């Protein structure tokens, strides 16, 4: 039986400093050399995925942007891009503007470059930090105004994501406005910025980790899927896995949905599990 192992990054495979330990790198490379099928599924884009995984022999495409695309780290090319319909993208722009919801807007064309725009005022401190950490990436280009006025793409048919990081109540309110919009897959959760910052992501309806994991399993001929996660945005792929694995530090609802609970992300638990499987 061919098994495909797919792991989330933050809080699951990565250490608290958002890096891979040397032991995890070695264990993963040994597993891949043995012929085990391994990839990752993350909300991150290649701008941060590539440097994090630079020492891992990742031979399969990575699932990035929460399933909105796959990315081949060896060729630098995207595939299976899930773009929003133009009218859906425009509707979201109107909703965010009307509600004064400050957000980033991501587009991805055929040039393998993510272009990032911004709506509704100057960057918040968290958005500024996000920008500063990624401004020099060859995989992203920011289009920001000096005076806080909106920047918009020349066409709306390449939109892959609206990414919002705001105080929790504001982000939750925006989520309530977009979660039932036809053609949109919205998710709201807390991540590395803490409980006081809500993360709202709005994708095309078909852009999920679950769909991407199924697609990757089909490409590799895998007939068993093992997924690892810690947060609510990992639940969709864990639901389609034959074996759903939660790390010890996962949220309670993720542990409840898991078939197996292993050690915490600080103990190389995912890489050890794959090596011993």
């Amino acid at each position: 039986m061919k098994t495909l192992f797919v792991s989330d990054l933050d809080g699951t495979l990565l250490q608290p400093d958002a890096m891979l330990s040397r032991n995890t790198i070695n264990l993963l490379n040994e597993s891949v050399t043995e012929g085990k099928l391994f990839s990752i599924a993350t909300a991150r884009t290649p701008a941060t995925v590539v440097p994090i995984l630079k020492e891992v022999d990742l031979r399969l495409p990575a699932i990035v942007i929460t399933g909105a695309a796959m990315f081949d780290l060896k060729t630098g090319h995207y595939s299976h891009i899930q773009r929003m319909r133009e009218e859906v993208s425009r509707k979201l722009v109107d909703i965010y503007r009307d509600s004064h919801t400050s957000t980033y807007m991501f587009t991805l064309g055929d040039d393998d470059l993510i272009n990032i725009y911004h709506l509704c005022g100057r960057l918040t401190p968290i958005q500024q930090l996000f920008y500063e950490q990624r401004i020099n990436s060859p995989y992203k280009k920011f289009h920001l105004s000096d005076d806080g006025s909106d920047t918009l793409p020349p066409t709306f048919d390449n939109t892959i994501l609206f990414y919002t990081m705001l105080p929790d109540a504001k982000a939750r309110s925006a989520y309530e406005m977009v979660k039932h919009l036809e053609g949109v897959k919205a998710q709201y959760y807390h991540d590395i910025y803490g409980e006081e910052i809500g993360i709202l992501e709005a994708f095309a309806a078909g852009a999920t980790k679950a769909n991407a994991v199924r697609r990757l399993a089909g490409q590799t001929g895998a007939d068993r899927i093992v997924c690892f996660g810690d947060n609510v945005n990992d639940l969709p792929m864990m639901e389609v896995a034959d074996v759903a694995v939660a790390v010890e530090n996962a949220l309670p609802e993720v542990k409840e949905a898991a078939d197996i609970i292993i050690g915490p992300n600080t103990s190389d638990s995912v890489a050890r599990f794959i090596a011993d499987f």
Side-chain angles (χ1 to χ4, degrees), residues 7-9 11-15 20 24 28 38 40 265 270-271:
S7 178
D8 171 54
L9 285 182
T12 305
L13 190 67
L14 301 184
Q15 297 291 309
L20 293 173
T24 282
L28 289 177
F38 171 74
I40 58 99
N265 63 320
V270 171

Side-chain angles (χ1 to χ4, degrees), residues 73-99:
L73 274 70
K74 297 190 180 299
T75 66
H77 295 309
Y78 289 92
S79 63
H80 302 93
I81 303 169
Q82 308 297 307
R83 297 183 177 94
M84 291 181 181
R85 300 196 309 271
E86 180 179 1
E87 64 271 20
V88 173
S89 179
R90 290 187 181 277
K91 177 65 174 176
L92 281 169
V93 167
D94 291 340
I95 290 174
Y96 286 119
R97 279 176 155 176
D98 291 344
S99 61

Side-chain angles (χ1 to χ4, degrees), residues 240-252:
V240 303
D242 297 288
V243 182
V245 184
V247 286
E248 177 60 36
N249 53 287
L251 294 178

Side-chain angles (χ1 to χ4, degrees), residues 119-139:
L119 306 176
C120 303
R122 296 185 181 278
L123 300 181
T124 66
I126 291 293
Q127 291 170 343
Q128 181 68 31
L129 177 63
F130 178 89
Y131 163 70
E132 291 173 354
Q133 290 175 339
R134 294 158 175 81
I135 185 174
N136 295 318
S137 170
Y139 303 100

Side-chain angles (χ1 to χ4, degrees), residues 23-234:
N23 196 37
T24 282
I25 292 170
N26 292 339
L27 287 169
L28 289 177
N29 285 340
E30 289 170 8
S31 292
V32 170
T33 299
E34 291 171 1
K36 292 179 179 177
L37 302 174
F38 171 74
S39 188
I40 58 99
T42 179
R44 291 175 177 267
T45 72
T48 53
V49 170
V50 171
I52 286 172
L53 298 179
K54 63 182 179 181
E55 294 185 73
V56 177
D57 184 15
L58 196 68
R59 302 179 185 182
L60 300 181
I63 297 168
V64 295
I65 323 172
T66 317
M70 292 185 182
F71 185 79
D72 190 320
L73 274 70
K74 297 190 180 299
T75 66
H77 295 309
Y78 289 92
S79 63
H80 302 93
I81 303 169
Q82 308 297 307
R83 297 183 177 94
M84 291 181 181
R85 300 196 309 271
E86 180 179 1
E87 64 271 20
V88 173
S89 179
R90 290 187 181 277
K91 177 65 174 176
L92 281 169
V93 167
D94 291 340
I95 290 174
Y96 286 119
R97 279 176 155 176
D98 291 344
S99 61
H100 304 288
T101 301
S102 178
T103 188
Y104 281 120
M105 180 180 181
F106 289 54
T107 68
L108 178 58
D110 296 325
D111 57 356
D112 293 318
L113 178 67
I114 291 177
N115 287 278
I116 303 178
Y117 304 85
H118 186 260
L119 306 176
C120 303
R122 296 185 181 278
L123 300 181
T124 66
I126 291 293
Q127 291 170 343
Q128 181 68 31
L129 177 63
F130 178 89
Y131 163 70
E132 291 173 354
Q133 290 175 339
R134 294 158 175 81
I135 185 174
N136 295 318
S137 170
Y139 303 100
K140 286 181 176 179
K141 182 177 181 180
F142 285 85
H143 305 265
L144 305 177
S145 64
D146 294 329
D147 60 2
S149 58
D150 290 354
T151 56
L152 289 170
T155 177
F156 280 41
D157 56 2
N158 284 332
T159 306
I160 56 170
L161 168 65
F162 287 84
Y163 184 67
T164 305
M165 303 168 286
L166 289 174
D168 187 63
K170 181 69 173 178
R172 185 185 297 271
S173 175
Y175 171 67
E176 293 297 324
M177 288 186 287
V178 304
K179 68 179 182 180
H180 295 306
L181 189 64
E182 184 179 357
V184 172
K185 169 64 177 177
Q187 58 184 24
Y188 163 82
Y189 60 99
H190 301 102
D191 206 354
I192 58 176
Y193 302 109
E195 294 292 319
E196 69 277 8
I197 297 296
I199 305 295
L200 169 59
E201 297 173 328
F203 303 94
T208 68
K209 286 186 178 182
N211 287 340
V213 166
R214 287 195 193 100
R215 188 177 299 116
L216 188 57
Q219 291 178 354
T220 59
D223 39 27
R224 177 170 53 194
I225 300 171
V226 178
C227 288
F228 304 84
D230 75 303
N231 210 331
V232 293
N233 62 343
D234 300 316

